[in-house]
Amino acid sequence: MNVSIVGSGYVGTTLAACLADLGHDVVNVDIDESTVAAINDGDAPIHEPGLAERIERHAGDRLRATTDYAAVRETDATFLALPTPANDDGSNDLSIMEAGARSLGEVLPSDGDHLVIVKSTVIPGSTEAVVTPAIEEAGDLAVGEDFRIAMNPEFLRMGTAVADFMDPDKIVFGATDERAYETLDRLYEPLVEETGAPVVRTGLREAEMIKYANNSFLATKVSLINELGNICKEYGVDAYEVADAIGLDDRIGERFLRSGLGWGGSCFPKDVAALIAAAEDADYDPELLKAGVNVNDRQPERLLSLLDDHVDVAGKQVAVLGLSFKPGTDDVRGTRAIPVIEGLHERGADVVAYDPVAVESFREYAPDVDFVAADSAADALTGAHGAVVVTDWDEFAALDDEFDEMATPVVVDGRHVVERRDGITYEGLTW
Ligand SMILES: NC(=O)c1ccc[n+]([C@@H]2O[C@H](COP(=O)([O-])OP(=O)(O)OC[C@H]3O[C@@H](n4cnc5c(N)ncnc54)[C@H](O)[C@@H]3O)[C@@H](O)[C@H]2O)c1
Ligand SMILES: O=c1ccn([C@@H]2O[C@H](COP(=O)(O)OP(=O)(O)O[C@H]3O[C@H](CO)[C@@H](O)[C@H](O)[C@H]3O)[C@@H](O)[C@H]2O)c(=O)[nH]1
């Protein structure tokens, strides 16, 4: 099929490269000229394992990019993979989606066949109440007659985007008419044949809600294991053995049970906040979701209070190991490193931080959060009176003699990665 994708960020670029790999002809439409140029040059505009090879393989052949929305006219279906950030009150900001939908409406063919597919994460009702009217008004078109609409949420994770897309746990099709489902079936047929992934056919609002339910469930699951881990810590119980054991119960499942410093990223914080705001907008008080956020917000201070138990850090160097929100990415959106570093500053500490890839992106994202960047974990640790582990990078698990260079070897591990050893005072956040 001929497919266009509006928005070429983490989701749009991954989707484009993977659909090209599955045999479709794909065009990316983006307002960012450098992104467009990168794809046309056969380069990946973002770093994701497996992405660069796919773009290099298909660019100039089955994959191209443009800033010109008119390219959608040559295609059978268009995905909208645009950002849906949070407003100040946490609610879903749909202004970029609306602008993209209007630009699309201005050029969309009115042949009645073209399928517009909302890929972005949007609050239930948005596809019908915001995206569809924006297309209709901009192009003087009528949904169901001139074009069709569907919602197909995305569940890929950063750092494993390509692998997740190519081997999904499920594929969700939200639509209101049979022809829309059939187009989606044709688009995903090679993937479904290859992987046997279950396809869920549902309504537009249900598809929108499945995405929020998925992320809220997982974020709350992590907060629940963090709460249990905090209690374990108080009673001297190994929280990780407890998690491994409860995970053997199929009803609980072993994944997303790693307790520690909590969740960050571009999705969990934003999506849970948006669902809370949407619930409150409907006069429902989402107590459990709010509790999950509160537990998450408390973890950095718990980490620092464990450090306080061993050392007064005022005027002393403290090493922060890890800045990205999780390993395998330089993404720092929602990273726990920010409250951790701010808490250290409040205590009067001098922060020396190390991250294998995320120093630059952190400086850009949080220019007011001051620290000295170290070239290695060893450099950050040398002379430090305490160390805190923020991100579970593999290389931190290999640290050993490096701790001997600390002024006082107190290590507070927010991610359960550092090996306990003689000669260091070790505190795990939850064990
Ligand atoms: N990042 C993830 O892991 C992930 C996973 C699942 C779902 N999502 C959801 O997918 C959506 C997109 O997220 P993302 O992380 O890919 O965003 P992103 O910020 O990485 O990329 C968005 C792209 O849209 C482009 N853009 C902005 N306005 C435009 C316009 N008017 N016309 C054309 N292009 C425009 C930007 O230049 C950018 O390249 C969001 O709703 C997000 O919540 C993200
Ligand atoms: O057991 C766990 C698992 C995760 N985390 C933390 O949770 C956050 C999110 O991790 P992860 O889900 O791996 O990363 P994302 O790339 O943010 O992916 C989530 O958000 C995406 C965007 O919506 C969805 O598509 C994915 O399905 C969903 O997992 C990170 O800070 C992790 O450190 C834990 O603390 N313990």
Side-chain angles (χ1 to χ4, degrees):
M1 284 176 73
N2 285 307
V3 190
S4 40
I5 298 167
V6 173
S8 194
Y10 278 94
V11 171
T13 308
T14 305
L15 180 64
C18 292
L19 288 180
D21 228 31
L22 293 168
H24 297 300
D25 287 302
V26 185
V27 57
N28 265 126
V29 181
D30 202 288
I31 51 171
D32 187 308
E33 286 180 7
S34 62
T35 296
V36 166
I39 294 173
N40 288 331
D41 288 347
D43 298 329
I46 53 153
H47 174 74
E48 276 295 330
L51 188 63
E53 303 88 289
R54 282 176 170 79
I55 292 181
E56 193 184 357
R57 199 179 309 146
H58 301 300
D61 180 17
R62 289 212 291 268
L63 176 62
R64 70 183 182 93
T66 177
T67 54
D68 185 1
Y69 268 78
V72 305
R73 288 178 158 281
E74 295 145 37
T75 65
D76 311 303
T78 303
F79 283 95
L80 287 171
L82 293 166
T84 49
N87 289 309
D88 287 346
D89 64 356
S91 63
N92 208 196
D93 174 357
L94 290 169
S95 57
I96 302 174
M97 275 304 274
E98 205 176 336
R102 293 193 73 81
S103 302
L104 179 62
E106 284 166 13
V107 297
L108 205 63
S110 56
D111 56 12
D113 280 332
H114 199 101
L115 182 65
V116 177
I117 308 160
V118 174
K119 194 57 159 164
S120 301
T121 303
V122 295
I123 282 294
S126 306
T127 299
E128 288 155 292
V130 178
V131 178
T132 303
I135 298 170
E136 288 180 315
E137 279 164 27
D140 194 18
L141 303 166
V143 71
E145 286 173 32
D146 299 319
F147 71 101
R148 292 169 297 127
I149 192 95
M151 204 283 149
N152 168 227
E154 182 51 56
F155 303 98
L156 62 79
R157 290 163 300 166
M158 300 185 62
T160 48
V162 170
D164 286 347
F165 185 87
M166 291 307 244
D167 190 14
D169 291 332
K170 60 181 173 290
I171 300 168
V172 176
F173 296 159
T176 52
D177 69 289
E178 188 54 33
R179 279 168 67 207
Y181 291 126
E182 281 167 9
T183 305
L184 286 163
D185 278 339
R186 269 195 291 143
L187 256 170
Y188 279 92
E189 192 180 8
L191 189 60
V192 173
E193 267 181 12
E194 202 174 301
T195 63
V199 173
V200 178
R201 279 187 175 208
T202 186
L204 292 169
R205 282 167 187 252
E206 287 73 17
E208 292 166 326
M209 186 63 191
I210 287 165
K211 175 66 193 175
Y212 281 99
N214 221 85
N215 273 1
S216 299
F217 200 102
L218 290 171
T220 309
K221 184 177 182 183
V222 174
S223 279
L224 179 55
I225 200 65
N226 283 344
E227 179 120 297
L228 294 169
N230 292 341
I231 299 169
C232 285
K233 178 78 180 176
E234 298 300 329
Y235 281 83
V237 173
D238 183 339
Y240 297 91
E241 283 194 6
V242 171
D244 286 348
I246 64 172
L248 293 172
D249 189 323
D250 279 348
R251 294 169 300 174
I252 294 172
E254 66 188 12
R255 297 173 71 190
F256 276 69
L257 279 185
R258 273 187 74 79
S259 58
L261 204 46
W263 35 271
S266 65
C267 291
F268 280 4
K270 158 178 96 70
D271 293 347
V272 176
L275 193 57
I276 288 173
E280 287 176 339
D281 199 39
D283 285 333
Y284 177 80
D285 184 17
E287 281 186 70
L288 192 53
L289 293 182
K290 289 198 286 192
V293 173
N294 288 339
V295 170
N296 199 49
D297 288 347
R298 277 200 325 234
Q299 292 307 86
E301 196 48 40
R302 278 190 69 84
L303 177 97
L304 295 175
S305 72
L306 289 170
L307 186 63
D308 295 338
D309 290 346
H310 298 280
V311 55
D312 176 0
V313 295
K316 300 194 182 109
Q317 177 186 329
V318 175
V320 170
L321 301 183
L323 294 169
S324 60
F325 85 95
K326 70 174 191 182
T329 176
D330 67 351
D331 201 310
V332 295
R333 290 176 284 181
T335 174
R336 313 276 76 205
I338 292 176
V340 167
I341 295 176
E342 284 175 346
L344 286 168
H345 284 155
E346 276 162 26
R347 288 163 169 79
D350 299 322
V351 175
V352 178
Y354 166 71
D355 189 287
V357 297
V359 171
E360 214 176 293
S361 52
F362 190 95
R363 292 263 193 233
E364 226 171 88
Y365 179 72
D368 299 335
V369 181
D370 199 28
F371 63 92
V372 172
D375 289 337
S376 65
D379 277 355
L381 291 169
T382 301
H385 288 259
V388 292
V389 181
V390 169
T391 314
D392 31 349
W393 286 106
D394 281 347
E395 67 176 87
F396 299 153
L399 291 172
D400 188 1
D401 297 346
E402 291 83 350
F403 293 118
D404 297 336
E405 304 307 317
M406 293 179 72
T408 48
V410 178
V411 180
V412 185
D413 189 352
R415 296 292 180 188
H416 194 57
V417 282
V418 170
E419 191 97 24
R420 285 164 205 252
R421 66 191 275 280
D422 289 341
I424 63 173
T425 303
Y426 178 93
E427 285 277 8
L429 178 51
T430 55
W431 163 236

